Amino acid sequence: MRALPSPAGLQAVGLRKIYGSVVANRNMSIATQAGSIHAVVGENGAGKSTLMRLLQGVERPDGGEIFVDGVRVDFTNPGDALRHGIGMVHQEFMIAPDLSLLENLVLGEEPVKRSWGPLSWIDWPTARTQGQALADQIGALIDWDQRAANAPVHILQFVEIIRLLRRGCRTLILDEPTAVLAPVQVDELFALLRNLRTQGTALLFISHKIGEVMALADEVTVIRQGETVFHSSVAECTADEISRHIVNGELHHVANDEAPQPQSELLSIASLNARSVNRSHTLHNISLTIGSGEILGIAGVAGNGQNELVECLVGLRPSSGLVTLNGIALSALNPSQRRRHGIAYISADRRHEGLSMQASIETNVVAGSHRTSPISHGGWLNRAAMRKIAKDRLQALDVKYDRPSDPVSTLSGGNQQKLVFAREIATSPQVLIASQPTRGVDLNGIAAIHQLIRDFRDGGGAVLLISEELDELIALSTRVAVIADGTIVGTVKAPASNLPLIGRMMLQGAAA
Ligand SMILES: Nc1ncnc2c1ncn2[C@@H]1O[C@H](COP(=O)(O)OP(=O)(O)OP(=O)(O)O)[C@@H](O)[C@H]1O
Ligand SMILES: [Mg+2]
């Protein structure tokens, strides 16, 4: 696909990027237009993030060309791209948590009031006026004096966007911005992106959710195995058509589910209380049980105690009350002792909790099993056994990688998530605590993970499922407990037919 550079905007033609033996981008072509939202979709490992790194100057292509307003460019670093008006809204923000949002906004680019030799005085009133003017222009409500560490994640995204606008960006790249957001935050982000579009910004937006693409984007590009395979205006194609292009016709359907009757009680939580650092109650009086062969879903508006509950159960946060597994009290046990007793844990934050980013793929996938046979034998590490086990686990979820000895950081985001899941389910736990298990995972990956969760349930395991995807909760859960303001406000049976009730309980709790 060779096209002439478009007169305005950012355009890539036939980009290529190779890592070792992996061709991450084979033949990528894409163009942005002012005042248009361009969605980029494709399976995990298709090459989306790589393409964005090339467009933003983080890495250089091995072939192909990039044009800005019809002129060929060669970015050697992100500063080059910025000077051409192209910026990326990072997932891992370059934000200093202890500074205020205003300080973060101008960090490294402070307006200066006066200089005297090496000293300069920052012009804070000007910084605030500039920030506020841009926030007003795009419709963002920002408390500039808030510490970054206390700001919700979508507000950090807004600050990042304003920072790029302040530096003159006219093309913004967003790599899965909604993966870390709760549904209400997604709505706020979309409102802001629509304002940006109206004001003439060009947006490149990556997502795994076709619903988001249909709701937000003007055009869509599908990439598969490093190539652009489909491009259309969103008005002229259907969600089904896009999905089919993503998977090349190989959409896996999950078989109709007949949940078995839960058996005996496996995990029991009684009167659990936990305090946060500022001594206010974080969790109060939580009592729940999960039976063998049962999936208990936790629904709630983000930030109502979901993470704290999980931390208490896996032993990362002190709590009072009684938690038992098969009648054995867990309260005095540390996280690794709980793991040995059969509790597996999929963290919502895989980069910080689920993975050791600099360690190899195989080390990460066998972590936790490395002291047991057959990997460890009389204190010796059996590398062949380790490699075989790692390979089997990665295969179970079709994780795409080059060499098992490569750092896990070289995996695409969705493949990292699949790896964590494959590792945790492979240890034959009794209880699986799964927090946002399909975050960043593509359509077929979601189907595979859902099937593994059901298989685990059918084998007698108990699952605590925390998800911001109501669809996911409903599809999998036997019962759904609703958490609000640190307490369980009710439990709903047959969740599929009681969706409005769950929604009301989530909101009632939030309003209380
Ligand atoms: N630094 C690197 N070294 C080696 N391989 C890499 C590196 N970065 C990416 N890759 C490989 O390039 C391919 C494309 O990865 P990329 O991150 O672009 O995928 P993606 O489309 O963003 O996927 P996801 O939806 O999971 O985020 C993957 O096979 C990945 O393992
Ligand atoms: Mg990616």
Side-chain angles (χ1 to χ4, degrees):
M1 192 153 81
R2 164 102 210 186
L4 286 174
S6 63
L10 169 68
Q11 185 170 36
V13 182
L15 287 187
R16 200 174 160 76
K17 181 72 193 174
I18 302 170
Y19 301 106
S21 64
V22 177
V23 187
N25 281 189
R26 189 179 306 271
N27 182 13
M28 289 287 201
S29 299
I30 197 160
T32 67
Q33 293 176 52
S36 172
I37 301 178
H38 193 146
V40 178
V41 295
E43 287 186 305
N44 293 136
K48 304 177 294 293
S49 297
T50 305
L51 172 63
M52 300 310 149
R53 287 199 294 273
L54 303 181
L55 295 180
Q56 191 228 346
V58 174
E59 287 176 8
R60 287 173 90 173
D62 296 312
E65 296 162 299
I66 301 175
F67 301 88
V68 176
D69 296 339
V71 179
R72 184 157 178 207
V73 290
D74 180 12
F75 300 148
T76 54
N77 57 59
D80 282 348
L82 262 177
R83 279 185 283 283
H84 285 85
I86 297 150
M88 170 117 153
V89 180
H90 282 276
Q91 213 59 268
E92 297 271 305
F93 304 98
M94 288 150 199
I95 280 223
D98 286 325
L99 299 186
S100 71
L101 293 179
L102 185 65
E103 288 165 324
N104 268 289
L105 175 74
V106 296
L107 203 62
E109 281 275 306
E110 296 90 349
V112 169
K113 192 157 55 178
R114 192 151 43 99
S115 297
W116 189 59
L119 300 175
S120 50
W121 280 263
I122 298 173
D123 185 353
W124 289 112
T126 299
R128 190 177 289 265
T129 312
Q130 288 175 348
Q132 192 54 44
L134 286 165
D136 289 344
Q137 190 186 321
I138 61 174
L141 277 178
I142 292 177
D143 169 7
W144 292 108
D145 299 314
Q146 187 174 33
R147 262 183 81 217
N150 299 335
V153 61
H154 69 301
I155 297 295
L156 296 180
Q157 288 181 339
F158 294 177
V159 171
E160 182 86 352
I161 289 171
I162 293 170
R163 179 155 69 165
L164 293 171
L165 294 175
R166 186 170 165 267
R167 293 177 141 203
C169 283
R170 292 169 295 126
T171 302
L172 293 184
I173 300 171
L174 299 106
D175 192 348
E176 295 189 48
T178 60
V180 290
L181 302 185
V184 276
Q185 299 174 329
V186 171
D187 294 344
E188 284 189 41
L189 174 69
F190 281 11
L192 188 141
L193 297 182
R194 290 190 179 104
N195 289 343
L196 278 167
R197 165 173 64 190
T198 311
Q199 288 153 23
T201 304
L203 293 143
L204 272 173
F205 167 80
I206 301 182
S207 176
H208 284 291
K209 298 180 185 163
I210 309 297
E212 292 183 351
V213 173
M214 302 310 285
L216 182 72
D218 302 294
E219 19 176 3
V220 57
T221 287
V222 179
I223 67 185
R224 193 186 329 126
Q225 294 178 357
E227 278 184 84
T228 11
V229 293
F230 179 72
H231 172 244
S232 167
S233 108
V234 168
E236 284 162 21
C237 64
T238 64
D240 258 12
E241 201 179 343
I242 298 173
S243 302
R244 267 186 282 121
H245 282 291
I246 292 175
V247 297
N248 201 13
E250 293 169 22
L251 199 53
H252 300 162
H253 286 287
V254 179
N256 256 348
D257 186 40
E258 274 293 319
Q261 278 299 317
Q263 303 298 316
S264 56
E265 178 183 304
L266 204 52
L267 185 76
S268 155
I269 304 164
S271 309
L272 184 90
N273 284 278
R275 286 171 190 276
S276 64
V277 258
N278 61 14
R279 309 289 293 165
S280 66
H281 270 92
T282 303
L283 296 177
H284 14 237
N285 210 18
I286 292 195
S287 296
L288 292 167
T289 58
I290 315 179
S292 158
E294 184 174 41
I295 302 172
L296 176 70
I298 301 280
V301 175
N304 271 274
Q306 293 92 323
N307 292 342
E308 289 79 3
L309 174 61
V310 169
E311 285 166 11
C312 291
L313 297 179
V314 299
L316 290 169
R317 176 182 286 265
S319 59
S320 64
L322 187 63
V323 180
T324 58
L325 172 63
N326 254 333
I328 301 167
L330 297 181
S331 313
L333 305 183
N334 67 29
S336 56
Q337 290 167 325
R338 291 183 196 212
R339 176 180 279 275
R340 281 201 291 283
H341 273 79
I343 293 205
Y345 165 45
I346 293 151
S347 164
D349 182 0
R350 62 177 172 253
R351 294 184 70 86
H352 297 115
E353 277 183 20
L355 293 167
S356 165
M357 288 312 265
Q358 288 322 309
S360 68
I361 295 167
E362 62 189 352
T363 305
N364 270 284
V365 78
V366 302
S369 310
H370 56 289
R371 286 208 188 85
T372 52
S373 172
I375 296 177
S376 165
H377 212 75
W380 294 87
L381 187 68
N382 183 340
R383 279 209 172 270
M386 170 167 125
R387 205 147 266 196
K388 164 97 177 59
I389 287 178
K391 206 170 148 210
D392 291 348
R393 289 184 183 178
L394 294 166
Q395 215 162 26
L397 271 171
D398 194 21
V399 176
K400 294 200 179 68
Y401 61 100
D402 185 15
R403 283 170 310 197
S405 54
D406 290 339
V408 80
S409 57
T410 63
L411 290 184
S412 78
N415 279 301
Q416 291 174 8
Q417 178 72 11
K418 289 187 198 174
L419 182 154
V420 172
F421 192 90
R423 175 187 69 209
E424 294 301 315
I425 202 101
T427 56
S428 311
Q430 299 191 60
V431 175
L432 178 68
I433 297 175
S435 191
Q436 321 296 347
T438 56
R439 194 171 254 182
V441 173
D442 62 28
L443 294 171
N444 281 334
I446 292 174
I449 286 181
H450 284 183
Q451 194 53 51
L452 283 175
I453 291 180
R454 288 178 169 138
D455 292 348
F456 175 72
R457 171 202 66 192
D458 294 347
V463 183
L464 183 73
L465 174 69
I466 299 97
S467 177
E468 277 173 15
E469 305 293 331
L470 267 182
D471 292 348
E472 176 165 84
L473 279 180
I474 297 215
L476 294 174
S477 307
T478 329
R479 289 178 297 143
V480 167
V482 181
I483 192 166
D485 212 10
T487 198
I488 299 294
V489 292
T491 304
V492 177
K493 286 187 188 140
S497 35
N498 284 308
L499 190 55
L501 175 63
I502 295 174
R504 275 202 305 279
M505 285 164 71
M506 285 169 62
L507 292 179
Q508 259 168 20

